Amino acid sequence: MSGKTTIKGNPSQYVKLNVGGSLYYTTIGTLTKHDTMLRAMFSGRMEVLSDSDGWILIDRCGKHFGTILNFLRDGSVSLPESTKEIAELLSEAKYYCIAELAESCNKALSKKERGEHEPICGVPLITSQKEEEMLINSTTKPAVKLLINRHNNKYSYTSTSDDNLLKNIELFDKLSLWYSSRVLFLKDVISTSEICCWVFYGHGKKVSEVCCTSIVYATDKKHTKVECPEARIYEETLNILLYESRNAPDQELMQATSTRGAVSGMSYTSDEEEERTGIERLRSNKCNNN
C-alpha cells in the first residue's frame, strides 16, 4: 500500500528515499539546502508518495541520485568521465531543478564536443607568496607543498645529495598522481628559505613539515646533506587526509597516528630520527632491567 503525504521536520531528521529502486538515507537539511524541487518536496509544500514501510518513492532512475545528494551537501561534485553519463546526470539535474549542476554538465558536454580535455592531475607551480596563500586558502582540500631549490645552498653538497633531491621530486610526483583528487599538491621553486622541504596544510593552516636538509662538518669545510625520508613523508601525507572533513580531526587520533609530533609541526631528518629512536630504546631497556 502506498499513499500521499507531506514531509516537514527538523533539518537533522533523516528520511528514507526509494529512487527507482535505489535506496538512500539522508537528512531533510540536505534535501532542502538549495532552492530545488527537492526543497519543495521536503519542506511541506508538495505531497510526496510513500509506501507502507515509510520509504519516500521518487519515480526516477536512482543511478545518479548519490551524485545529486553530494552536490546538495557540498555545492560541487566531480562529474562522470563519459559523455553518456554526463548527459544522464544533466537530465536528473534538470528534473530536480538544480540549475548550477545542470550548468556544469552543459559546460562539460560542450568541452567534450569541442574535443577539449582537462588533465586529471594538475600541480600548480607557485609564482609568489601571495599566490600560494590564495591557493591554500581557497581550496577545500588539504594541501601538500614541496619546496625544492637546489641553488639555495651556500656550501658544497654531499655525494648522495643530488640523488636524494631527485628522489624527493619523484616521490612528490607519485603522491600527486595517487591523491590528486583528494589533496592539492603545490610545487615551489622560487623560495629562498630552504633547499628541500615538504609542508603539509589542513583547513588553510600549516600542520607539519619535513625538512630534508642538514649541515654536516668535514675536516676542511661544511657540506649540505639532502635526504629523502620516505616513511615520514608517507606518514604525513596520510595524516593530512584527516583534514578532508570540514571538522578538524580529533587531537587524540592525530597523536595516535604519529609518534613524532606531526601536529606540533616538529620535523626531524632521518639521522636525528634514528638517534631519537635509539635513545628511547635504551631508556626502555634500562627501565625493564630495573
Side-chain angles (χ1 to χ4, degrees):
M1 294 288 293
S2 62
K4 290 185 176 182
T5 184
T6 56
I7 302 293
K8 189 174 183 179
N10 190 287
S12 61
Q13 178 183 333
Y14 275 81
V15 291
K16 302 185 294 182
L17 306 176
N18 183 337
V19 187
S22 299
L23 305 181
Y24 295 91
Y25 196 51
T26 189
T27 64
I28 291 179
T30 294
L31 295 167
T32 58
K33 192 172 183 179
H34 299 267
D35 188 14
T36 67
M37 191 181 81
L38 289 166
R39 173 184 283 183
M41 292 173 64
F42 292 93
S43 61
R45 287 186 286 162
M46 289 177 58
E47 288 186 330
V48 296
L49 193 64
S50 64
D51 65 14
S52 57
D53 294 322
W55 290 91
I56 308 300
L57 306 176
I58 300 178
D59 188 19
R60 296 292 295 181
C61 177
K63 179 179 179 181
H64 298 289
F65 194 75
T67 303
I68 297 290
L69 289 179
N70 285 334
F71 183 86
L72 296 177
R73 293 179 182 117
D74 303 327
S76 63
V77 73
S78 297
L79 298 180
E81 289 295 323
S82 72
T83 302
K84 178 177 177 293
E85 291 194 342
I86 295 176
E88 292 172 352
L89 181 59
L90 173 60
S91 296
E92 299 306 304
K94 287 181 176 179
Y95 176 80
Y96 294 112
C97 302
I98 308 176
E100 291 182 27
L101 180 57
E103 183 180 356
S104 296
C105 291
N106 277 321
K107 287 181 178 178
L109 289 173
S110 296
K111 286 183 178 180
K112 286 184 175 294
E113 288 176 2
R114 294 193 300 265
E116 295 180 14
H117 176 73
E118 292 186 0
I120 297 174
C121 177
V123 178
L125 195 62
I126 294 171
T127 61
S128 67
Q129 180 68 32
K130 184 178 180 180
E131 182 186 36
E132 175 186 332
E133 292 174 358
M134 289 177 62
L135 287 168
I136 292 173
N137 291 328
S138 62
T139 183
T140 57
K141 300 177 182 178
V144 175
K145 182 186 74 171
L146 173 63
L147 190 165
I148 190 95
N149 194 341
R150 189 182 186 280
H151 300 291
N152 285 340
N153 182 35
K154 59 182 179 180
Y155 308 114
S156 60
Y157 282 106
T158 59
S159 59
T160 59
S161 290
D162 281 335
D163 284 343
N164 285 330
L165 278 168
L166 291 175
K167 286 181 181 178
N168 277 283
I169 295 172
E170 290 172 355
L171 179 57
F172 179 83
D173 291 343
K174 287 180 181 178
L175 291 173
S176 62
L177 285 173
W178 294 342
Y179 297 109
S180 61
S181 62
R182 303 173 64 183
V183 177
L184 172 64
F185 286 88
L186 307 166
K187 190 174 286 188
D188 183 354
V189 296
I190 63 171
S191 177
T192 58
S193 59
E194 293 286 351
I195 296 169
C196 183
C197 183
W198 296 71
V199 188
F200 302 85
Y201 299 89
H203 299 164
K205 297 180 180 179
K206 178 180 173 182
V207 176
S208 60
E209 72 174 34
V210 178
C211 183
C212 302
T213 57
S214 59
I215 302 297
V216 295
Y217 295 86
T219 54
D220 53 343
K221 57 183 178 179
K222 297 177 182 178
H223 298 280
T224 298
K225 181 180 181 181
V226 179
E227 299 176 299
C228 183
E230 290 191 22
R232 176 77 193 285
I233 294 166
Y234 278 123
E235 180 182 348
E236 296 296 355
T237 303
L238 293 176
N239 282 342
I240 211 70
L241 294 178
L242 295 172
Y243 287 84
E244 284 186 292
S245 65
R246 296 184 178 180
N247 297 321
D250 184 85
Q251 293 300 312
E252 292 184 2
L253 176 61
M254 291 294 290
Q255 291 175 4
T257 56
S258 175
T259 59
R260 292 189 286 276
V263 175
S264 63
M266 298 173 64
S267 60
Y268 303 95
T269 63
S270 60
D271 285 348
E272 291 171 328
E273 185 61 34
E274 183 178 352
E275 182 179 353
R276 271 173 26 88
T277 304
I279 292 172
E280 290 171 359
R281 187 165 55 248
L282 288 173
R283 286 175 177 169
S284 177
N285 292 338
K286 185 176 179 181
C287 291
N288 291 335
N289 292 334
N290 292 337

